[in-house]
Amino acid sequence: MGLLTAACAAYASLAAWLWLTLAQGMFWRTDVRLPPRTAPTHWPSVAIVVPARDEAEVLPRSLPSLLAQDYPGEAEVILVDDGSTDGTGGLALRLAAEQPGLPLTVTSPGDPAPGWTGKLWALRHGIAIARTAHPTEPAFLLLTDADIAHEPDSLRELVAAATSADLDLVSQMARLRVAGLWERLVVPAFVYFFAQLYPFRRINRPGARTAAAAGGCVLLRTGAAVRAGVPDSIRQAVIDDVSLARAVHRSGGRIWLGLAERVDSVRPYPALADLWRMVSRSAYAQLRHQPLLLVGTVAGLALVYLVPPAALLTGLATGHAATAWAGGLAWLLMAGTYLPMLRYYGQPAALAPLLPFTALLYLLMTVDSAVQHYRGRGASWKGRTYARPSDA
C-alpha cells in the first residue's frame, strides 16, 4: 500500500509539473521586460509618491536615485513620512539639499484612520497632495517604495511604455537584493512563486482575467486611479499591489507587469528571520484568511515540491523504477523551470535542485502566518500590527 501511494503521488506530481510547464502562461520565462516604446511628442507630468516608515537605513541609497531622474517632462517627488521614529523625514530633506534634482516635498499624514493600512493611508495622503498642489493634476503617479532604487532613465522608460501601449498601469517587479546565503536560497524563489501564481504573460494579454502588480514600482495614470477609487477602495488590503491592480482592472484599465532591469530593491534580508517575516506577514492574507485554502495550499506545495525528491529516493530505495522515474522527471522539470530565475539573479545553477527545501520553508512560513492570524496578531510591519479584516 505504501509503494502504491508513493507511486500515485509521484505520477500526480509529474502531471502537475507537466501542466505548470506547458500550460501556466510560461511563468518560468524571465524575458518579460518593458514593452516596445517610443518617446511621446509631449512628456506628461508625473508625481512620484514614496510612502516611508522608518527607512533611514535604506533612504540614502534610494531617494537620491529618484531625485536624479532624467525626465524630460515635469516631475516631483512626494515622500510621505508614515510615523517614522528614526528621522526618515529629516534625512530626506538633507539628502535633497545635498543633491539638486527633482523637487521634493516631505509630508506626514498622521496615524492611519480605522480600517486603513499604514502604507495605503500614506499613499492616499501623497496622492491627494499630488493632485491638489498644482493648478493641473499630474497625468501619472509613480508609486514606489522607499527601498527601491531607480536608474536615471527609469521614469522616462516607464512613461514611454505606458504612452506607447496606452496602458493605465505599468508595474515592474524590482530586482531584490541577493547577497547572503539565505537571500540566495529564498529571494529568487519568492519571485518564481509569484510568477507562478500570476504569470506575467497571462496578465499582459488584452482582455486578461488575471490582474496583479508589484508594489515597489507602479506607474499609474491619475485618471485610472480616480476611476478605480484607489486607494480608498482597497484601504484594508495588506497585499496592496495585487489589490490595486485588480481595482484598476475591474474599472476597465489596461495593465502590464514584468521584471525590472533597472529598478532594484536595496533592502537587506541578511538572516532567515528577516525573510521569514517578509513572507509570513502577508501569506495568510493572500489566502483570504480561509482555512480550506490554507489546507489546499499546504497539500499543493507538498505534492508539487516535496513529493518529487521523496518519490525518487523511495523508488531507488525500494527498486520501484516507475516511482523513481516519475519523481525524478518531476524534480527535473522543477529545477529546469527554476533555472531562468536563477540566471536572472546571477545565481549558480547548482541551487536549482534545492528548490524543494526552499518550498518547505515557504510552506512553514505560510502555516506560521495562519497561526499568527488566529492568535489575533494579524499582519505586522515596522512595529504596527493590523487587525483582522473582520475586526477592522
Side-chain angles (χ1 to χ4, degrees):
M1 182 62 180
L3 284 177
L4 179 60
T5 301
C8 290
Y11 301 149
S13 184
L14 177 57
W17 274 109
L18 288 170
W19 181 84
L20 286 169
T21 303
L22 301 174
Q24 185 61 357
M26 291 189 288
F27 77 94
W28 40 271
R29 294 184 58 172
T30 57
D31 57 350
V32 183
R33 310 300 168 85
L34 284 176
R37 53 208 177 274
T38 57
T41 54
H42 171 73
W43 288 92
S45 57
V46 183
I48 304 172
V49 181
V50 186
R53 177 173 171 83
D54 291 336
E55 297 287 12
E57 178 184 3
V58 298
L59 213 59
R61 287 171 286 167
S62 59
L63 183 60
S65 75
L66 292 173
L67 300 174
Q69 284 301 297
D70 178 19
Y71 186 66
E74 181 182 350
E76 64 175 331
V77 180
I78 301 171
L79 185 137
V80 186
D81 186 357
D82 180 21
S84 299
T85 60
D86 65 350
T88 289
L91 174 60
L93 291 172
R94 290 195 298 275
L95 290 170
E98 294 169 2
Q99 176 182 316
L102 297 184
L104 172 70
T105 298
V106 176
T107 183
S108 179
D111 292 334
W116 283 81
T117 63
K119 179 180 177 180
L120 289 173
W121 181 249
L123 285 176
R124 180 180 187 268
H125 187 68
I127 291 171
I129 290 176
R131 295 184 61 199
T132 59
H134 305 288
T136 303
E137 65 181 20
F140 284 93
L141 304 162
L142 176 59
L143 313 179
T144 185
D145 289 346
D147 65 324
I148 302 299
H150 295 251
E151 292 294 327
D153 62 351
S154 174
L155 179 59
R156 188 171 68 241
E157 295 299 318
L158 285 165
V159 171
T163 55
S164 297
D166 193 25
L167 296 167
D168 294 292
L169 185 153
V170 178
S171 180
Q172 289 183 293
M173 173 72 75
R175 198 189 306 259
L176 305 177
R177 197 190 90 137
V178 175
L181 170 64
W182 289 111
E183 288 174 333
R184 294 174 189 274
L185 281 172
V186 175
V187 167
F190 176 83
V191 183
Y192 174 86
F193 294 146
F194 182 90
Q196 194 175 82
L197 283 173
Y198 305 106
F200 299 159
R201 278 178 169 75
R202 188 170 292 171
I203 288 170
N204 297 341
R205 292 174 188 163
R209 292 185 294 176
T210 305
C217 178
V218 176
L219 182 74
L220 177 64
R221 286 187 190 269
T222 305
V226 172
R227 288 194 303 273
V230 295
D232 296 61
S233 62
I234 58 169
R235 59 186 178 276
Q236 284 186 292
V238 175
I239 307 174
D240 51 87
D241 44 11
V242 175
S243 299
L244 170 64
R246 287 173 176 169
V248 172
H249 185 262
R250 283 195 302 268
S251 66
R254 294 189 60 202
I255 290 173
W256 185 93
L257 171 64
L259 293 172
E261 292 179 311
R262 301 169 69 75
V263 178
D264 299 279
S265 172
V266 297
R267 188 183 304 284
Y269 293 98
L272 177 60
D274 303 313
L275 291 158
W276 194 288
R277 283 191 294 270
M278 178 189 76
V279 176
S280 65
R281 71 185 180 93
S282 61
Y284 197 40
Q286 178 72 53
L287 302 176
R288 302 195 293 275
H289 304 104
Q290 296 295 320
L292 288 178
L293 284 178
L294 174 66
V295 172
T297 298
V298 169
L301 284 171
L303 175 67
V304 173
Y305 291 99
L306 305 185
V307 164
L312 174 61
L313 296 176
T314 299
L316 292 175
T318 60
H320 198 277
T323 299
W325 273 105
L329 286 174
W331 198 357
L332 185 63
L333 285 172
M334 181 196 316
T337 58
Y338 190 36
L339 278 174
M341 190 61 69
L342 288 173
R343 284 197 295 267
Y344 172 74
Y345 273 98
Q347 299 305 304
L351 291 176
L354 300 182
L355 189 56
F357 171 72
T358 305
L360 175 61
L361 290 178
Y362 275 88
L363 186 155
L364 297 175
M365 293 173 191
T366 302
V367 172
D368 180 60
S369 180
V371 169
Q372 298 307 317
H373 171 80
Y374 288 111
R375 286 180 176 175
R377 297 176 183 176
S380 170
W381 182 244
K382 298 276 181 87
R384 181 182 283 153
T385 300
Y386 300 110
R388 305 178 191 182
S390 60
D391 299 335

